[in-house]
Amino acid sequence: MNKKKGFFLTFEGPEASGKSSQIKLLEKFLKNQKIPYHITREPGGTHLAESLRSLILRKNSNINIEEEILMLMAARSHHINQVIKPAIKKGKIVISDRFADSTFVYQGYVNKYGIKNTIKLHKDLLNNFLPKKTFLFKLSTNNILTRLKKRKSKNKYDKLDKKFHDDVNKGYKIISNHKRFINIDASKPINYIHNKIIYHLNLLI
Ligand code: TMP
């Protein structure tokens, strides 16, 4: 196994789909195997980007969609240049809990900036920097709502209605017709999903 080859992976999907728990399990695995890694998240990943995260996800903020997208792009640019690219260069597997696909779905589709317009901005401003593979967690809206009921609200998207979660699912369906995406049935047991992720990881390293 070549442990020196760095690359970038992302985890995407709707609210409460279990991405973050799976990233924790993956981190344990990488640590045990002594495979160099860096775990990060979006919006966030740098001090500046984490500050923007709290502004973007704040409830009752009065920023409009253009302002929100520009803040996300600024945060992402900083994250890519300061953290992701340097870590890949050092031979690490970089894993981000959400990345550009979330912007294509949440701002582009759900909040109607337009998927094509959002992808164009990503190309123009961020040189179309994308992960090697994306684990896309899929969960029905009913399951999302059941899981969210048991959770304390974390951000402005957590407590939205059925239509919002339906739209998020539709958005992911539209953008994910590409071999970069590995579909994960998020209703399956935690260990089953973990093993599937490790299987795909082993194909990459
Ligand atoms: P999470 O970290 O708990 O998944 O929450 C992040 C929230 O931010 C989630 O509801 C999706 C949203 N988001 C966007 O709207 N656009 C983006 O570009 C990103 C990365 C996240």
Side-chain angles (χ1 to χ4, degrees), residues 6 11 17 28 36 48 66 78 93 96 105 114 131 142-146 148 152 161 174 185-186 196 198 201:
F11 280 53
S17 55
K28 248 190 199 165
L48 175 109
E66 285 81 12
H78 202 243
I93 300 176
S96 187
V105 170
N142 282 342
N143 278 337
I144 293 170
L145 291 171
T146 308
L148 283 177
K152 236 176 103 193
D161 58 3
I174 294 169
D185 178 350
K196 183 166 176 176
I198 299 303
L201 184 80

Side-chain angles (χ1 to χ4, degrees), residues 6-10 37-46 49 75-100 122 126 129-132:
F7 55 88
F8 181 37
L9 298 176
T10 58
Y37 68 90
H38 181 81
I39 307 277
T40 186
R41 70 168 182 179
E42 288 216 347
T46 70
R76 184 159 302 131
S77 173
H78 202 243
H79 190 203
I80 292 170
N81 293 322
Q82 300 290 320
V83 173
I84 300 173
K85 282 187 175 171
I88 293 172
K89 237 181 165 177
K90 282 187 193 152
K92 294 185 183 180
I93 300 176
V94 180
I95 295 149
S96 187
D97 190 343
R98 299 193 181 278
F99 190 68
H122 184 74
L126 303 173
F129 181 81
L130 288 168
K132 187 166 185 165

Side-chain angles (χ1 to χ4, degrees), residues 12-16 19-20 41-44 53 56-57 68 72-73 76 97-107 111 151 154-158 164 168 172:
E12 291 279 355
E15 328 304 314
K19 298 174 283 98
S20 309
R41 70 168 182 179
E42 288 216 347
R53 177 189 177 98
I56 293 164
L57 297 181
E68 184 168 284
L72 283 163
M73 295 281 167
R76 184 159 302 131
D97 190 343
R98 299 193 181 278
F99 190 68
D101 296 314
S102 285
T103 318
F104 304 156
V105 170
Y106 286 81
Q107 281 67 41
N111 288 328
R151 246 199 206 180
K154 284 195 308 181
N155 68 54
K156 67 180 177 185
Y157 293 120
D158 273 348
F164 169 80
V168 170
Y172 274 116

Side-chain angles (χ1 to χ4, degrees), residues 2 4 28 50 54 73 102 110 112-113 129 138-139 141 144 169 171 191 202:
N2 176 9
K4 287 249 151 63
K28 248 190 199 165
E50 290 289 334
S54 52
M73 295 281 167
S102 285
V110 181
K112 301 194 168 55
Y113 185 76
F129 181 81
K138 296 191 157 183
L139 194 63
T141 299
I144 293 170
N169 277 338
N191 277 332
N202 279 326

Side-chain angles (χ1 to χ4, degrees), residues 4-6 11 22 28 54 82 107 113 120 128 162 170 193-194 197 200-201:
K4 287 249 151 63
K5 204 176 72 174
F11 280 53
Q22 285 297 332
K28 248 190 199 165
S54 52
Q82 300 290 320
Q107 281 67 41
Y113 185 76
K120 183 173 183 325
N128 207 27
K162 181 174 182 313
K170 268 188 217 155
I193 296 173
H194 177 61
I197 289 168
H200 284 282
L201 184 80

